[in-house]
Amino acid sequence: MTDLLAARSQMAISLGFHIVFAEIGIAMPLMMVLAEWRGRRTGEREYLELARRWAKGVAILFAVGAVSGTVLSFELGLLWPSFMKFAGPIVGVPFSLEGFAFFTEAIFLGVYLYGWERISPRAHLLAGVVVLSSGAASAVFVLMVNAWMNTPTGVTMSGGRIVAVDPVAGMLSPAAFPQALHMLLAAYASTGLAVAGVHAWMLRRGAARGFHRRALIVALWVGAPAALLQPLSGDISARLVAQTQPVKLAALEGQFHTERGAPLRLGGWPDEQAATTRYALQIPHGLSILAYHRWNAEVQGLTAFPRADWPPVAPVHASFQLMVALGTAMALVALWAAWVGWRRREIADQPWLLRALIVVAPFGFIATEVGWAVTEVGRQPWVVQGLMRTADAVTPMPGLIVPLTVFTLLYVVLGAVVVAVIAGLVRDTDAAPYGADA
Amino acid sequence: MTGVFARIGLPELFAAIIVVALNVYVLTGGADFGGGVWDLLASGPRRDRQRDLVAHAIGPIWEANHVWLVLVVVLTFTAFPAAFAALGTVLHIPLALMLVGIVMRGSAFVFRSYGSRTWEQRRNWGRVFAVASTLTPLLLGVVIGAVSTGAVGSAQTRIGAAGFRSVYVAPWWAPFPIAVGVLALALFAMLAAVYLAYETRDDALREDFRRRALAAAAAVFAAAFGALAMAHLEAPIVRAGLENSAWALPFQVATGAAALAAIGALWRRRYAWARLAAAAQVSLILWGWAFAQFPYVVPPNLTIENTAAPRITLELVAWALAAGAALLIPSLVYLRRTFAARRTR
């Protein structure tokens, strides 16, 4: 394994680990606040109990998210010092703002988690609102950095060096809004449906019904609307990629040759050597319509670009297909739940819907991982599209396989412990049934 | 002193802000690590109560305290990107080890508090928490010590020309950085013991932590003299700064006075004063290092001026800092007030 690949793998593992906790950190506070607010409004104790039980899990997940996020902030320098030297003056501004948003989040999460008996109900709920808004703001600032790497603006280059910067223009790069929207919706959809799946599982097992049916409803109120909106946000993102990163679009669609009225390929496996995508189900004109909203729009193929500028086509295509498939399944289940809710039926009484919710529970997090792979691997060989190659950004330190191994082991162990601990907390709701009096 | 103020500009302001953030981190987050040290060294008939006191003291605040470190990192790469690149490259190994410590400390703490179902699990996570809390400050001190010797800066110029050991190991695996690591650990342990003695309402526990604070203060003296002795051999830049400038003597006198005041206050059981004096002592040591190193970020080549980001970046972040401070300072006061209520009631 080359040092470059080791560095990329370590960054991918660190981000892939952190992103799950980041999503949970964004969405769970919204769910806790909704549950607490319902509880205070209706006087139903189960909702307050729910907010407290969720808070216990969030305390663990937020801490792991905070430390794994710290790892990333250091890894920018440990693995990509030249990138930071190059991009620091631009990305530093959104990262500084993110620092403040994260600070606010950490302060008020402390107040929220440990302050149940110490402050008034109103102040407690307000602390939760601060946590959920600063969590969302953190995500927006981080996505501004990633968007800048995809569609860099606000830099004037001369001879491979930045000679003038405009950090505000850098923050508001073309990809900033579509990416931030897509990530926020992903966080609410993934977390909401995952939590709904956990409570659906408990309902199927016949555990404390009064507690779990309320939990299911709150989780669906967060997860289902986001899952339904996500395809629209995906369309906005895809059309922007078509305009600004045609190589990435060609890779994620497996489009090797420039073509008018390009088909949409479902499945299939791109063969870079033969420059063709085999075994795909082709929907005529589908890609031209999706990417440009025109029947006969021209879609540039990979062969229109130098071979040295291609990303690895097969993994990008496969990741993209998987993301879309998982997102579609989530949207369909969300639609089903919305239909049941709209007809004023009890969701907890629908065994097949509960089963479907259990099945799609992990889909959001998997879709997030492969979606992140689409945007990051799809940008290769660039770390900043068109401006800096990843190979030029990596640290000169040899032996990067060692830190890669250390952090991989650390995250494998940590991930396993988190799963075991959260599973224990979920089982506790069985052992001490609340809401039995509902 | 005049030499310092004559050269103040926006980059210098950022250097000062970074040291302020590091100072707050050391006084808050540093003490949280020190708490872990006392968890590791808990002993006697009140062993479990000592551990509970530590856990209660840091529970609601350690994450907010930890963010100061993130702020230091972010401000460094924003304001001094070239210096950040040099630090990340040459100090890869100790920084990566420090990260492992940070991850283990934070996660083990929440696993112990929330995720343990048996006494045995609690004990095991507590042990991980305590060991990680002890190793992390050592590494933080090693990093600061290595920077101040100038070894990091000169190793950076040898990248590609010299061997692995010479560039990536020798700058920090040396007596002076390790002595600074020990000093950082002793300081954090002292801060934690002083804070805990001040905060607890239990007289027996207070005596336990008073004795621990006095022992840690003695360790600080030993480590500080060790580090100073080695500075003469290995850290010419720091030594020159400490010896040859007009402000050096008053600074060192003030640091020594704060150290004696802390011990005196502990001896006479004046805990509020002890807390103030210990915090002053730690802050003076940190600022002494910062001034001794001025105007270098990473001596001997990378200065505040030649690594500073473009002015527009610094101006924008300065505004963000002002707005952020207006938001954060009241929030932090609120956090502390909320959780300080128990002991004053």
Side-chain angles (χ1 to χ4, degrees):
Chain A
M1 183 181 267
T2 63
D3 280 318
L4 175 61
L5 188 58
R8 283 179 55 201
S9 306
Q10 186 178 334
M11 202 66 188
I13 285 166
S14 307
L15 272 164
F17 186 83
H18 177 69
I19 202 168
V20 172
F21 297 91
E23 285 194 317
I24 295 170
I26 291 164
M28 282 307 292
L30 176 60
M31 289 160 55
M32 294 190 303
V33 165
L34 283 177
E36 187 182 348
W37 176 73
R38 281 290 290 163
R40 304 243 191 249
R41 282 278 302 249
T42 62
E44 294 174 34
R45 282 191 20 242
E46 294 86 352
Y47 281 115
L48 294 180
E49 184 56 31
L50 178 60
R52 280 175 185 258
R53 294 213 176 228
W54 275 344
K56 251 186 154 183
V58 168
I60 295 168
L61 298 166
F62 185 82
V64 177
V67 292
S68 59
T70 307
V71 170
L72 284 169
S73 69
F74 276 91
E75 277 176 345
L76 291 172
L78 298 181
L79 299 173
W80 315 107
S82 310
F83 166 70
M84 291 313 288
K85 194 172 167 179
F86 174 82
I90 286 263
V91 301
V93 178
F95 269 136
S96 303
L97 294 170
E98 194 271 343
F100 280 111
F102 174 50
F103 216 144
T104 313
E105 192 183 354
I107 291 171
F108 285 94
L109 192 75
V111 171
Y112 189 89
L113 294 178
Y114 294 83
W116 288 94
E117 273 82 33
R118 289 170 177 252
I119 53 177
S120 71
R122 184 187 291 261
H124 191 259
L125 200 58
L126 202 62
V129 172
V130 175
V131 174
L132 75 91
S133 1
S134 47
S138 290
V140 171
F141 291 129
V142 169
L143 267 293
M144 281 176 167
V145 173
N146 189 258
W148 179 79
M149 292 160 69
N150 282 318
T151 57
T153 44
V155 285
T156 314
M157 301 282 294
S158 175
R161 296 174 67 90
I162 294 180
V163 289
V165 294
D166 179 352
V168 176
M171 283 168 65
L172 303 175
S173 73
F177 172 74
Q179 279 198 248
L181 178 69
H182 204 56
M183 186 73 242
L184 281 178
L185 288 175
Y188 296 126
S190 305
T191 311
L193 289 191
V195 173
V198 168
H199 292 285
W201 168 263
M202 296 303 283
L203 282 165
R204 293 282 303 150
R205 288 185 43 184
R209 183 182 149 87
F211 176 80
H212 289 291
R213 62 169 278 272
R214 287 176 175 83
L216 181 66
I217 290 166
V218 177
L220 283 174
W221 268 110
V222 171
L228 284 170
L229 289 171
Q230 190 66 306
L232 293 176
S233 142
D235 176 61
I236 298 174
S237 282
R239 279 191 291 144
L240 184 89
V241 169
Q243 276 175 30
T244 56
Q245 295 177 285
V247 191
K248 184 189 268 185
L249 183 85
L252 55 90
E253 299 289 359
Q255 181 79 32
F256 281 95
H257 300 286
T258 303
E259 163 174 26
R260 290 187 172 278
L264 182 69
R265 292 175 188 79
L266 299 182
W269 192 257
D271 180 344
E272 285 187 39
Q273 298 306 318
T276 181
T277 301
R278 296 184 217 281
Y279 320 119
L281 178 68
Q282 302 203 358
I283 300 173
H285 297 273
L287 180 54
S288 288
I289 293 169
L290 280 179
Y292 295 97
H293 290 193
R294 287 202 317 273
W295 181 255
N296 261 332
E298 183 180 278
V299 178
Q300 285 184 292
L302 283 158
T303 51
F305 304 93
R307 188 67 204 264
D309 290 352
W310 291 15
V313 183
V316 174
H317 179 69
S319 300
F320 180 68
Q321 298 279 319
L322 184 57
M323 175 186 79
V324 172
L326 295 170
T328 307
M330 290 165 71
L332 290 175
V333 174
L335 197 63
W336 184 359
W339 170 249
V340 171
W342 187 65
R343 295 188 56 199
R344 308 219 164 264
R345 301 265 179 83
E346 176 64 58
I347 289 174
D349 289 339
Q350 311 281 322
W352 285 101
L353 178 54
L354 292 184
R355 285 194 186 99
L357 283 167
I358 295 166
V359 170
V360 300
F363 282 15
F365 294 124
I366 301 170
T368 303
E369 297 288 353
V370 289
W372 196 251
V374 167
T375 189
E376 289 299 290
V377 182
R379 194 190 54 240
Q380 300 306 318
W382 303 98
V383 62
V384 184
Q385 182 76 45
L387 296 184
M388 185 180 222
R389 285 180 191 268
T390 314
D392 298 329
V394 72
T395 178
M397 192 178 96
L400 293 180
I401 185 89
V402 178
L404 168 64
T405 312
V406 169
F407 280 93
T408 305
L409 285 174
L410 182 67
Y411 282 152
V412 166
V413 171
L414 208 55
V417 174
V418 169
V419 169
V421 165
I422 297 294
L425 288 180
V426 173
R427 274 198 305 274
D428 281 350
T429 60
D430 220 359
Y434 274 82
D437 52 341
Chain B
M1 222 47 165
T2 50
V4 173
F5 285 117
R7 283 179 281 173
I8 283 291
L10 203 47
E12 286 76 9
L13 179 68
F14 269 88
I17 291 170
I18 289 171
V19 182
V20 169
L22 190 60
N23 194 350
V24 181
Y25 176 65
V26 163
L27 292 182
T28 58
D32 296 341
F33 282 107
V37 174
W38 297 121
D39 183 297
L40 186 70
L41 300 178
S43 61
R46 288 173 294 278
R47 193 166 61 187
D48 291 339
R49 277 157 65 200
Q50 290 167 6
R51 290 193 167 127
D52 284 346
L53 178 64
V54 171
H56 277 289
I58 76 178
I61 52 170
W62 73 267
E63 275 161 317
N65 294 343
H66 172 75
V67 186
W68 288 100
L69 178 66
V70 178
L71 205 61
V72 169
V73 171
V74 171
L75 288 177
T76 306
F77 72 59
T78 307
F80 308 106
F84 182 73
L87 294 173
T89 308
V90 175
L91 293 173
H92 188 119
I93 297 169
L95 286 173
L97 291 172
M98 190 174 102
L99 283 179
V100 173
I102 286 172
V103 170
M104 297 306 284
R105 190 279 299 244
S107 22
F109 181 73
V110 286
F111 292 155
R112 182 178 69 170
S113 305
Y114 287 104
S116 303
R117 356 195 79 235
T118 63
W119 180 84
E120 211 163 45
Q121 280 177 346
R122 266 188 79 81
R123 189 195 56 191
N124 290 341
W125 285 122
R127 214 165 271 171
V128 174
F129 160 73
V131 171
S133 294
T134 307
L135 293 180
T136 310
L138 268 174
L139 289 157
L140 180 67
V142 164
V143 164
I144 290 178
V147 172
S148 68
T149 61
V152 175
S154 56
Q156 192 227 359
T157 63
R158 293 196 303 273
I159 290 172
F164 184 85
R165 274 191 64 90
S166 147
V167 177
Y168 300 104
V169 180
W172 57 273
W173 186 249
F176 178 71
I178 292 170
V180 177
V182 174
L183 175 62
L185 181 63
L187 285 169
F188 290 180
M190 178 188 75
L191 278 178
V194 172
Y195 292 178
L196 289 167
Y198 170 77
E199 281 172 26
T200 181
R201 297 166 72 204
D202 180 320
D203 288 334
L205 278 179
R206 184 174 297 129
E207 276 305 305
D208 285 353
F209 282 103
R210 171 174 170 264
R211 279 195 303 275
R212 282 165 173 72
L214 285 167
V220 165
F221 259 97
F225 278 107
L228 272 179
M230 274 173 251
H232 277 265
L233 302 173
E234 289 183 46
I237 296 157
V238 172
R239 191 190 61 207
L242 286 177
E243 286 176 357
N244 302 337
S245 38
W247 52 266
L249 190 64
F251 229 95
Q252 284 172 8
V253 170
T255 310
L260 292 174
I263 291 173
L266 279 170
W267 194 257
R268 301 189 55 196
R269 298 188 170 78
R270 307 284 281 270
Y271 295 105
W273 284 105
R275 196 170 71 136
L276 195 68
Q281 178 191 356
V282 173
S283 307
L284 284 164
I285 291 174
L286 187 76
W287 283 93
W289 158 65
F291 278 117
Q293 209 181 282
F294 184 85
Y296 297 101
V297 185
V298 184
N301 300 317
L302 303 179
T303 63
I304 291 172
E305 290 296 334
N306 71 21
T307 60
R311 192 170 175 84
I312 182 168
T313 301
L314 298 183
E315 277 174 6
L316 280 169
V317 179
W319 282 110
L321 284 170
L327 196 75
L328 282 179
I329 292 170
S331 306
L332 279 169
V333 170
Y334 179 68
L335 177 73
R336 299 249 160 202
R337 286 250 172 97
T338 302
F339 296 105
R342 178 178 286 172
R343 62 172 180 260
T344 47
R345 226 184 285 141

